[in-house]
Amino acid sequence: MNAPLRTAPFDPLAPPQAPQYDALSLTQYGKTALITLNGMIYTLTITRAGKLILTK
């Protein structure tokens, strides 16, 4: 039997959590996605081993 899920009470002073994204969604279920930052383009690649590589 599963224990009921408990949620922590809302704390307005707690720092916000970082946004979370699914890598397969970013790559549209392919192997690569382009990400821009300050006018620079980076490539996010999913390897055959299921690891992520971010290159400039």
Side-chain angles (χ1 to χ4, degrees):
M1 186 166 171
N2 292 336
L5 293 176
R6 295 184 187 184
T7 58
F10 177 72
D11 181 359
L13 300 177
Q17 289 187 330
Q20 182 174 339
Y21 303 97
D22 179 74
L24 289 175
S25 293
L26 287 175
T27 62
Q28 296 181 354
Y29 293 89
K31 294 176 111 180
T32 61
L34 299 178
I35 300 172
T36 59
L37 177 66
N38 297 328
M40 300 291 295
I41 299 176
Y42 297 84
T43 303
L44 178 71
T45 305
I46 302 175
T47 68
R48 280 193 250 165
K51 300 194 184 225
L52 296 175
I53 298 173
L54 185 63
T55 55
K56 199 172 190 184

